[in-house]
Amino acid sequence: MIGRSFARLSRPAAFVVVTAAYVLAGGVAVAVGHALLRHHHPITTTFVADLVATAVVFALSMVLANASLYDPYWSVAPPLVALFWLSEAPSGLPTSVQVRQVLVIALVAAWAVRLTGNWAIGWHGLGQEDWRYGHLRTTTHGRLPYWLVNLVGIQLVPTLVVFAGLLPLWPALGAPTCAFNALDVVAAIVTAAAIVIEFVADNQMRAFTRNPTTAGARSTSGCGRGRATPTTSVRSASGGGYACSVSRPPRPGGGPSSGRS
């Protein structure tokens, strides 16, 4: 089986395979978006491209017999979406608006680097698959084909959830309507604090799980007190921070728009 042969690759070689898979997925998504959707609204273009990239990653995960190929997608896709939306913003925006754009991109990048880094540190190669996926394979066996579980439950639904969480970035990046203000400061503080808490929680959980004396137990201290996954409790704060940056009425008379329909 092809997947089993890849499972024997060294960790550096496995990283090369994953990188190549994402370059391919990104290339196909960009090609489809440019060829078929360049006259559509940027959100529509990005949404379809996101689905195409997910489909490519899904197909390759089936070839490699490892659904965890999708795991980096959570953090790789958002900054690319954000940068594309930024590129679609009208020219000649006021400096205060550009300050917000830079701040939002910086926060998205920081979040993405943190989450991707956490995945990379804990990933040992293509022979490793998230235990939850194995559990899904076992519990749905005989009731649903695993390829469907992989496509919908493991990959498609998360893509849709993440894309929905990114939508508040569009008014801040691609269609800004008002100047940088106090709500932007609140949004930046909330989002930055969430990223820092997630970073601390990642390291605490890593130390906890590597401790042989706590095998199979739940954390009772730190950010993960009483939780199996400590970062779950603050993930919504990142999205809340992004949403806060655009949860204001547009200025009278409207503002610049993308010019797309």
Side-chain angles (χ1 to χ4, degrees), residues 74-125:
W74 290 84
S75 53
V76 171
L80 299 179
V81 171
L83 287 172
F84 175 70
W85 286 350
L86 177 65
S87 73
E88 293 294 304
S91 59
L93 292 173
T95 300
S96 62
V97 172
Q98 295 181 38
V99 168
R100 179 192 299 116
Q101 291 175 320
V102 171
L103 183 60
V104 169
I105 290 295
L107 289 169
V108 172
W111 175 85
V113 168
R114 180 207 66 79
L115 186 54
T116 305
N118 186 58
W119 164 78
I121 291 171
W123 190 67
H124 304 298

XYZ file of all heavy atoms in Angstrom, residues 74-125:
398
model
N -5.478 23.982 9.209
C -6.106 24.919 10.148
C -5.337 26.237 10.228
O -5.937 27.304 10.370
C -6.145 24.309 11.548
C -7.088 23.176 11.740
C -6.848 21.851 11.450
C -8.409 23.228 12.284
N -7.948 21.091 11.785
C -8.918 21.908 12.298
C -9.205 24.262 12.766
C -10.186 21.601 12.776
C -10.475 23.958 13.245
C -10.950 22.649 13.244
N -4.022 26.166 10.175
C -3.205 27.366 10.380
C -2.533 27.863 9.113
O -2.073 29.003 9.072
C -2.145 27.094 11.452
O -1.405 25.921 11.142
N -2.468 27.037 8.083
C -1.829 27.457 6.827
C -2.783 28.303 5.985
O -2.392 29.313 5.384
C -1.342 26.236 6.023
C -0.884 26.647 4.626
C -0.197 25.541 6.767
N -4.048 27.920 5.926
C -5.008 28.612 5.061
C -5.343 30.036 5.512
O -5.397 30.949 4.669
C -6.281 27.776 4.930
N -5.615 30.298 6.803
C -6.060 31.635 7.203
C -5.156 32.801 6.791
O -5.660 33.797 6.267
C -6.173 31.526 8.731
C -6.547 30.095 8.949
C -5.720 29.344 7.935
N -3.825 32.724 6.989
C -3.015 33.878 6.562
C -3.022 34.081 5.052
O -2.932 35.224 4.586
C -1.606 33.536 7.080
C -1.602 32.071 7.312
C -3.001 31.721 7.695
N -3.153 33.009 4.284
C -3.221 33.152 2.831
C -4.523 33.827 2.410
O -4.530 34.690 1.526
C -3.086 31.781 2.161
C -1.771 31.047 2.426
C -1.764 29.692 1.723
C -0.581 31.886 1.973
N -5.615 33.441 3.052
C -6.903 34.086 2.787
C -6.819 35.565 3.153
O -7.262 36.445 2.394
C -8.026 33.400 3.583
C -9.322 34.210 3.488
C -8.253 31.985 3.072
N -6.246 35.856 4.312
C -6.138 37.245 4.771
C -5.305 38.086 3.807
O -5.658 39.233 3.497
C -5.534 37.280 6.174
N -4.202 37.540 3.333
C -3.350 38.288 2.409
C -4.055 38.540 1.086
O -3.904 39.615 0.483
C -2.045 37.529 2.182
C -1.054 37.547 3.351
C 0.112 36.601 3.086
C -0.543 38.971 3.603
N -4.830 37.566 0.607
C -5.563 37.774 -0.641
C -6.600 38.874 -0.472
O -6.748 39.749 -1.331
C -6.234 36.479 -1.095
C -7.102 36.671 -2.313
C -6.535 36.937 -3.548
C -8.479 36.599 -2.210
C -7.337 37.133 -4.679
C -9.289 36.792 -3.326
C -8.707 37.061 -4.560
N -7.327 38.836 0.631
C -8.323 39.885 0.867
C -7.660 41.246 0.994
O -8.203 42.255 0.531
C -9.134 39.552 2.116
C -10.110 38.436 1.881
C -10.448 37.877 0.674
C -10.889 37.744 2.864
N -11.381 36.880 0.852
C -11.673 36.776 2.176
C -11.000 37.845 4.240
C -12.553 35.920 2.844
C -11.874 36.996 4.914
C -12.644 36.045 4.220
N -6.499 41.286 1.617
C -5.770 42.553 1.707
C -5.412 43.078 0.323
O -5.506 44.279 0.048
C -4.501 42.372 2.546
C -3.591 43.596 2.673
C -4.298 44.718 3.429
C -2.294 43.214 3.387
N -5.014 42.175 -0.567
C -4.634 42.586 -1.922
C -5.817 43.128 -2.715
O -5.626 43.824 -3.716
C -4.009 41.404 -2.670
O -4.995 40.444 -3.030
N -7.044 42.799 -2.288
C -8.243 43.245 -2.984
C -8.776 44.568 -2.447
O -9.792 45.070 -2.937
C -9.341 42.181 -2.857
C -9.019 40.883 -3.583
C -8.956 41.079 -5.088
O -9.946 41.557 -5.668
O -7.906 40.763 -5.680
N -8.116 45.143 -1.445
C -8.576 46.401 -0.868
C -8.390 47.547 -1.867
O -7.480 47.522 -2.703
C -7.804 46.695 0.413
N -9.237 48.546 -1.803
C -9.086 49.702 -2.690
C -7.755 50.408 -2.435
O -7.221 50.366 -1.326
C -10.270 50.601 -2.314
C -11.223 49.724 -1.581
C -10.403 48.678 -0.917
N -7.231 51.060 -3.440
C -5.994 51.816 -3.280
C -6.292 53.178 -2.673
O -7.436 53.645 -2.683
C -5.299 51.983 -4.632
O -6.161 52.654 -5.543
N -5.264 53.820 -2.142
C -5.423 55.169 -1.600
C -6.150 55.241 -0.286
O -6.759 56.272 0.031
N -6.120 54.179 0.507
C -6.799 54.196 1.803
C -6.057 55.112 2.780
O -4.831 55.243 2.709
C -6.870 52.782 2.383
C -7.778 51.794 1.648
C -7.608 50.399 2.232
C -9.242 52.231 1.740
N -6.778 55.732 3.720
C -6.125 56.574 4.727
C -5.120 55.777 5.552
O -5.260 54.552 5.725
C -7.294 57.053 5.599
C -8.504 56.902 4.753
C -8.246 55.725 3.865
N -4.151 56.462 6.094
C -3.112 55.797 6.892
C -3.699 55.048 8.079
O -3.269 53.945 8.417
C -2.098 56.832 7.396
O -1.493 57.492 6.281
C -1.000 56.161 8.222
N -4.709 55.630 8.723
C -5.304 54.984 9.896
C -5.933 53.641 9.537
O -5.893 52.688 10.326
C -6.358 55.899 10.531
O -7.415 56.161 9.616
N -6.520 53.551 8.336
C -7.093 52.289 7.880
C -5.989 51.276 7.596
O -6.104 50.088 7.919
C -7.971 52.509 6.632
C -8.411 51.175 6.035
C -9.188 53.353 6.973
N -4.913 51.725 7.004
C -3.795 50.841 6.716
C -3.150 50.309 7.994
O -2.654 49.191 8.027
C -2.766 51.579 5.868
C -3.271 51.965 4.484
C -2.224 52.683 3.655
O -1.035 52.351 3.700
N -2.647 53.679 2.906
N -3.183 51.132 9.051
C -2.658 50.673 10.344
C -3.456 49.456 10.814
O -2.893 48.469 11.290
C -2.728 51.799 11.391
C -2.462 51.249 12.798
C -1.715 52.886 11.063
N -4.796 49.529 10.687
C -5.620 48.390 11.078
C -5.273 47.167 10.234
O -5.172 46.054 10.746
C -7.103 48.710 10.924
C -7.981 47.505 11.299
C -9.433 47.669 10.893
N -10.022 48.817 11.541
C -10.469 49.893 10.900
N -10.403 49.936 9.574
N -11.003 50.895 11.563
N -5.106 47.352 8.938
C -4.800 46.230 8.055
C -3.499 45.544 8.459
O -3.421 44.315 8.537
C -4.720 46.714 6.610
C -6.053 47.139 6.013
C -5.902 47.733 4.631
O -4.959 48.484 4.365
N -6.822 47.399 3.744
N -2.485 46.352 8.734
C -1.187 45.789 9.149
C -1.326 45.044 10.468
O -0.779 43.943 10.648
C -0.131 46.905 9.264
C 1.148 46.370 9.904
C 0.177 47.500 7.897
N -2.082 45.633 11.394
C -2.264 45.005 12.707
C -2.992 43.674 12.584
O -2.597 42.674 13.206
C -3.045 45.955 13.623
C -3.273 45.487 15.061
C -1.945 45.258 15.764
C -4.110 46.528 15.814
N -4.039 43.631 11.778
C -4.798 42.387 11.596
C -3.919 41.309 10.959
O -3.897 40.155 11.421
C -6.054 42.641 10.735
C -6.689 41.318 10.322
C -7.059 43.480 11.499
N -3.176 41.671 9.920
C -2.293 40.695 9.272
C -1.250 40.177 10.250
O -0.953 38.973 10.292
C -1.609 41.324 8.042
C -2.630 41.558 6.923
C -0.477 40.430 7.541
C -3.228 40.306 6.344
N -0.692 41.069 11.068
C 0.323 40.656 12.042
C -0.254 39.678 13.057
O 0.396 38.678 13.416
C 0.896 41.882 12.752
N -1.471 39.934 13.524
C -2.093 39.043 14.506
C -2.445 37.687 13.893
O -2.245 36.644 14.525
C -3.347 39.703 15.078
C -3.101 40.891 16.013
C -4.396 41.625 16.311
C -2.440 40.432 17.315
N -2.955 37.697 12.669
C -3.262 36.432 11.995
C -1.976 35.629 11.782
O -1.938 34.409 11.994
C -3.975 36.676 10.650
C -4.114 35.377 9.870
C -5.341 37.295 10.879
N -0.904 36.326 11.383
C 0.377 35.645 11.159
C 0.913 35.049 12.460
O 1.409 33.913 12.485
C 1.386 36.618 10.557
N 0.817 35.817 13.546
C 1.293 35.316 14.844
C 0.512 34.086 15.273
O 1.085 33.100 15.758
C 1.180 36.423 15.898
N -0.810 34.140 15.098
C -1.646 32.986 15.435
C -1.269 31.773 14.584
O -1.156 30.648 15.075
C -3.117 33.362 15.218
C -4.057 32.218 15.415
C -4.601 31.785 16.592
C -4.564 31.343 14.400
N -5.416 30.703 16.361
C -5.410 30.413 15.031
C -4.380 31.266 13.019
C -6.070 29.410 14.324
C -5.038 30.273 12.313
C -5.874 29.359 12.967
N -1.057 32.006 13.291
C -0.741 30.907 12.379
C 0.616 30.282 12.702
O 0.769 29.059 12.682
C -0.762 31.406 10.936
N 1.595 31.121 12.993
C 2.923 30.608 13.334
C 2.862 29.785 14.614
O 3.470 28.709 14.713
C 3.931 31.774 13.481
C 5.232 31.289 14.111
C 4.213 32.402 12.119
N 2.108 30.274 15.594
C 1.988 29.529 16.853
C 1.381 28.156 16.636
O 1.910 27.140 17.088
C 1.129 30.312 17.851
C 0.956 29.581 19.195
C -0.327 29.961 19.879
N -1.510 29.519 19.161
C -1.988 28.272 19.198
N -1.353 27.324 19.861
N -3.085 27.961 18.522
N 0.254 28.117 15.906
C -0.443 26.852 15.734
C 0.332 25.895 14.825
O 0.412 24.691 15.100
C -1.843 27.101 15.164
C -2.761 25.882 15.063
C -2.872 25.166 16.407
C -4.139 26.296 14.564
N 0.915 26.420 13.751
C 1.707 25.565 12.864
C 2.932 25.025 13.603
O 3.285 23.852 13.460
C 2.156 26.340 11.612
O 1.018 26.904 10.968
C 2.873 25.416 10.628
N 3.564 25.894 14.378
C 4.731 25.454 15.148
C 4.381 24.381 16.155
O 5.123 23.408 16.333
N 3.229 24.532 16.804
C 2.804 23.525 17.772
C 2.565 22.183 17.091
O 2.912 21.127 17.629
C 1.530 23.998 18.473
C 1.109 23.087 19.601
O 1.854 22.862 20.544
N -0.103 22.548 19.517
N 1.960 22.223 15.896
C 1.764 20.985 15.143
C 3.116 20.363 14.766
O 3.330 19.157 14.948
C 0.963 21.259 13.864
C 1.060 20.145 12.869
C 0.398 18.955 12.896
C 1.935 20.093 11.728
N 0.787 18.170 11.831
C 1.730 18.848 11.103
C 2.856 20.990 11.176
C 2.428 18.475 9.956
C 3.550 20.627 10.027
C 3.325 19.376 9.427
N 4.019 21.184 14.251
C 5.302 20.660 13.767
C 6.127 20.044 14.894
O 6.778 19.003 14.713
C 6.092 21.778 13.082
N 6.090 20.670 16.066
C 6.858 20.150 17.196
C 6.363 18.772 17.617
O 7.146 17.876 17.946
C 6.792 21.130 18.385
C 7.563 22.416 18.057
C 7.357 20.490 19.655
C 7.376 23.512 19.071
N 5.049 18.602 17.594
C 4.479 17.336 18.073
C 4.309 16.271 17.013
O 3.867 15.156 17.324
N 4.643 16.597 15.763
C 4.432 15.652 14.666
C 5.714 14.882 14.379
O 6.782 15.474 14.221
C 3.990 16.412 13.415
C 3.520 15.542 12.295
C 2.418 14.760 12.264
C 4.145 15.383 11.015
N 2.296 14.124 11.057
C 3.349 14.495 10.267
C 5.302 15.920 10.432
C 3.675 14.118 8.967
C 5.621 15.552 9.142
C 4.813 14.656 8.417
N 5.605 13.565 14.297
C 6.796 12.724 14.143
C 6.937 12.114 12.759
O 7.914 11.415 12.487
C 6.777 11.607 15.195
C 6.668 12.122 16.596
N 7.629 12.923 17.171
C 5.684 11.975 17.533
C 7.261 13.238 18.406
N 6.080 12.688 18.646
N 5.986 12.349 11.878
C 6.089 11.797 10.525
C 4.776 11.222 10.049
O 3.760 11.229 10.760
